[in-house]
Amino acid sequence: MDIQFLGTGDAFSHRANTSILVDGKILLDCGLTTVQQLMKAKADLHRISLLSISHFHMDHAFGIPALLSVCKKEGRTRPLVIYGPTGAEQYVKELLAVAHKKGLDVFGFEIKVYDAKNTKADGYSLTFAPMRHALPCNAVSIEKDGKKVTYTGDGKPTEEAKKIMQGSTFS
């Protein structure tokens, strides 16, 4: 797996917000600085098929409106799936209402938002587990071709999170 760190900073760091791009297809968290970092990295936004949000603090999720807007501007037609903690769809809709006074249906491509659930997508297996944090927060393990990466976002690991981390090639 190709793991590209777009940022490793927290909300008020001098570094870009923590965000990771896996194989150019899976984006892990999308804070305020993520779109700029994607552009600096010359990432192909059309290739990103899945966005996993660990939790809904600004340094992990406030970049979603910018990401969707840039994708629209670049003529994206490919669907985008977003996974997040419980209430993800409502959160994304509220974020878009504040940022653009628009909903999910105005970007010109299909956007599906789900509460985190174990799934398979584009040949990857994604497994989610809760973390201890001030807000609901999830870790995610991504597996493909015998490789496994686990991203925990913020917070302290629960026993469930420790289980999905086992066997990670990267974590």
Side-chain angles (χ1 to χ4, degrees), residues 22-40:
V22 179
D23 289 341
K25 296 179 179 183
I26 299 173
L27 184 60
L28 304 175
D29 280 343
C30 189
L32 294 166
T33 60
T34 300
V35 171
Q36 289 174 321
Q37 294 302 104
L38 286 164
M39 291 178 169
K40 282 182 186 177

Side-chain angles (χ1 to χ4, degrees), residues 68-146:
L68 299 179
S69 294
V70 170
C71 286
K72 177 182 180 178
K73 181 181 173 192
E74 291 188 358
R76 182 187 180 109
T77 57
R78 185 177 183 191
L80 177 68
V81 177
I82 302 172
Y83 285 102
T86 301
E89 183 176 16
Q90 185 62 34
Y91 177 86
V92 171
K93 285 179 178 178
E94 290 172 3
L95 190 58
L96 292 174
V98 169
H100 297 298
K101 298 196 184 305
K102 297 178 182 176
L104 289 167
D105 57 345
V106 299
F107 291 96
F109 58 95
E110 185 177 18
I111 302 165
K112 298 178 184 176
V113 185
Y114 301 106
D115 292 351
K117 60 182 176 183
N118 297 346
T119 191
K120 293 186 186 292
D122 287 338
Y124 297 87
S125 293
L126 285 83
T127 306
F128 295 90
M131 297 283 290
R132 285 185 201 91
H133 195 51
L135 294 177
C137 182
N138 291 314
V140 60
S141 283
I142 303 164
E143 293 184 68
K144 184 178 183 181
D145 299 331

Side-chain angles (χ1 to χ4, degrees), residues 37-55:
Q37 294 302 104
L38 286 164
M39 291 178 169
K40 282 182 186 177
K42 296 183 174 34
D44 182 353
L45 301 183
H46 297 276
R47 287 190 67 214
I48 298 171
S49 59
L50 191 141
L51 168 59
S52 177
I53 301 297
S54 61
H55 64 289

